[in-house]
Amino acid sequence: MSRLQQVTVLGATGSVGLSTLDVIARHPERYQVFALTGFSRLSELLALCVRHVPRYAVVPEAVAARGLQDDLRAAGLSTQVLVGEAGLCQVSADPEVDTVVAAIVGAAGLRPTLAAVDAGKKILLANKEALVMSGALFMQAVRKSGAVLLPLDSEHNAIFQCMPGDFARGLSQVGVRRILLTASGGPFRQTPLAELEHVSPDQACAHPNWSMGRKISVDSASMMNKGLELIEACWLFDARPDQVEVVIHPQSVIHSLVDYVDGSVLAQLGNPDMRTPIANALAWPERIDSGVAPLDLFAIARLDFEAPDEQRFPCLRLAREAAEAGNSAPAMLNAANEVAVAAFLERRIRFPEIASIIEDVLSREPVVAVNELSAVFEADTKARALTEQWLSRNAR
Ligand code: NDP
Ligand code: MG
């Protein structure tokens, strides 16, 4: 490798951000941190800057920026602090940057991720909400700029690894029959339905196999995460929703599979640790050590599979319907979900109400075409407003 790859980590203080920095720190001969961004955990961001010495750090507002800038100077660092969405877009598009890790959670990640796409970067995408919201426009922008889009989501990274190199020619052209998207089923796979009314945010966030941020943990408990991933898979691999089948696999050892017309089914296996897909995408097409322990098949002993129960997990049905409707529907679904999950985490609603709210919001608005980004944000804003109205009508 001729020179160090310059990496921007959007959402560095989060779960995926920290796993990324762990892998990067194992390979100082390959990677240099160019920029780190945080939102609320700013003392953690300071510590990460001291550890990785980036050129830039980005925080949401000016007062926090001044505080962090003073602390960085006191620590003897020349890291420059930038502010807000403009700062995020700047460190995504800077000509010196090679790779952008998109690991901000939710719709807030869309514009900075698109800035990296438009600048033709190598993008490691964890922020599935960005792609769900704006799929067609996002993929058009990737094709136009020649950006290299690599999935970090463990399932999509697995599918990517099981696809032939020329899958962009079309799934039928390369002999793929369907994608089998695995799901653990989350912490409530076997909880009696009546008890779901009373589950707490901490119970929802106690994922059996993965350690993740709170929003995606609730999404995993409701299986909205798998619904968002279904939409994500359709865009990444140019698949129709009926070509993606969700399979519950409670051990989370098989991270997804690709079924070919000749009957071959290729799977990617590994311990459930995000450092594997991160290392795979960072080094692609090479392979590097990720720090993940080798898989011990004797300790795992068995792999189970079952069909998802859409009565237990209505969010999965809602996401599939949004995938089929296309246009503004996925952006509305995503926005209603973000607001509903935040309300659940604040104990303003019960767990099953997440799905009820989303269904109610989606039924109130017709699906409209989204030919430009402003239409995506309009759909997002409308769904957030409708969800807030539901919350105030049904205030506890
Ligand atoms: P976390 O909540 O742990 O981290 C989110 C990151 O985004 C933090 O750095 C946070 O900053 C930052 N952030 C939050 N809100 C904003 C905002 N409004 N503007 C700018 N930055 C913001 O989430 P995860 O790391 O778990 O997930 C990140 C993304 O990756 C999500 O889209 C998720 O779906 C996806 N993903 C995560 C996986 C996982 O294993 N965790 C697996 C697959 C996908 P701060 O912490 O300082 O507030
Ligand atoms: Mg996933």
Side-chain angles (χ1 to χ4, degrees):
M1 192 155 292
S2 53
R3 68 176 183 90
L4 291 172
Q5 298 287 300
Q6 300 291 328
V7 184
T8 283
V9 185
L10 303 173
T13 46
S15 165
V16 172
L18 294 175
S19 293
T20 301
L21 291 170
D22 180 280
V23 177
I24 285 179
R26 292 167 192 273
H27 302 280
E29 74 296 350
R30 281 179 172 257
Y31 307 110
Q32 188 163 39
V33 175
F34 182 82
L36 296 176
T37 88
F39 189 71
S40 62
R41 288 175 273 196
L42 299 185
S43 53
E44 283 86 342
L45 183 61
L46 172 64
L48 292 175
C49 289
V50 169
R51 169 81 182 79
H52 297 279
V53 197
R55 181 98 55 90
Y56 295 105
V58 186
V59 298
E61 45 83 30
V63 175
R66 275 196 293 278
L68 181 62
Q69 191 70 74
D70 290 346
D71 291 343
L72 287 165
R73 263 193 221 109
L77 265 67
S78 59
T79 301
Q80 195 184 331
V81 182
L82 304 176
V83 182
E85 196 168 72
L88 295 172
C89 292
Q90 182 181 329
V91 298
S92 294
D94 191 292
E96 285 191 39
V97 170
D98 301 290
T99 298
V100 175
V101 180
I104 289 175
V105 60
L110 178 56
R111 279 207 176 87
T113 306
L114 279 179
V117 170
D118 291 338
K121 303 301 185 195
K122 175 172 165 179
I123 295 133
L124 276 47
L125 184 73
N127 181 204
K128 65 194 87 182
E129 297 92 343
L131 187 57
V132 166
M133 289 172 75
S134 70
L137 295 169
F138 191 109
M139 296 309 290
Q140 260 169 36
V142 168
R143 282 189 291 272
K144 186 168 166 209
S145 70
V148 176
L149 182 62
L150 298 170
L152 281 196
D153 213 343
S154 56
E155 296 77 2
H156 304 74
N157 184 269
I159 296 162
F160 178 74
Q161 293 193 50
C162 297
M163 282 282 179
D166 59 346
F167 71 84
R169 291 200 293 128
L171 295 189
S172 58
Q173 294 298 311
V174 297
V176 170
R177 185 157 44 194
R178 52 185 186 148
I179 290 168
L180 298 167
L181 185 68
T182 53
S184 69
F188 303 143
R189 184 171 61 90
Q190 294 174 314
T191 307
L193 285 181
E195 281 178 30
L196 292 180
E197 287 282 332
H198 308 292
V199 297
S200 69
D202 283 346
Q203 284 173 299
C205 289
H207 196 282
N209 306 330
W210 295 93
S211 153
M212 309 182 287
R214 284 173 83 76
K215 190 264 178 183
I216 185 178
S217 296
V218 176
D219 285 349
S220 296
S222 69
M223 282 196 79
M224 178 56 91
N225 183 48
K226 213 47 55 180
L228 299 175
E229 290 186 356
L230 186 156
I231 300 172
E232 181 185 14
C234 288
W235 289 117
L236 287 172
F237 303 108
D238 199 12
R240 296 186 313 270
D242 67 341
Q243 289 177 300
V244 183
E245 186 169 340
V246 174
V247 179
I248 301 223
H249 163 48
Q251 291 91 354
S252 297
V253 169
I254 297 180
H255 298 303
S256 278
L257 315 89
V258 176
D259 177 16
Y260 286 84
V261 288
D262 63 2
S264 300
V265 179
L266 302 193
Q268 186 259 3
L269 286 73
N271 287 318
D273 186 323
M274 284 303 289
R275 291 176 301 172
T276 294
I278 290 167
N280 175 266
L282 264 177
W284 181 84
E286 295 169 29
R287 297 266 178 183
I288 55 171
D289 172 41
S290 64
V292 176
L295 186 64
D296 182 349
L297 282 174
F298 301 115
I300 293 159
R302 58 180 280 182
L303 301 174
D304 294 309
F305 306 98
E306 58 192 62
D309 171 356
E310 288 196 352
Q311 195 195 341
R312 174 178 294 275
F313 299 116
C315 286
L316 193 53
R317 169 179 56 82
L318 294 170
R320 190 176 283 281
E321 287 167 5
E324 277 155 7
N327 297 299
S328 59
M332 301 273 300
L333 172 94
N334 178 67
N337 181 57
E338 282 191 28
V339 178
V341 168
F344 170 70
L345 286 171
E346 290 161 10
R347 297 176 178 272
R348 293 167 66 200
I349 59 169
R350 294 175 195 274
F351 182 74
E353 287 176 318
I354 296 173
S356 323
I357 296 178
I358 298 167
E359 182 145 35
D360 181 78
V361 166
L362 290 178
S363 72
R364 282 172 194 272
E365 276 296 317
V367 175
V368 297
V370 283
N371 299 320
E372 47 197 320
L373 206 55
S374 59
V376 172
F377 283 108
E378 256 170 52
D380 176 272
T381 306
K382 198 166 275 174
R384 281 172 202 273
L386 287 170
T387 313
E388 292 295 354
Q389 281 168 25
W390 192 102
L391 292 170
S392 36
R393 272 200 313 277
N394 298 278
R396 283 221 225 158

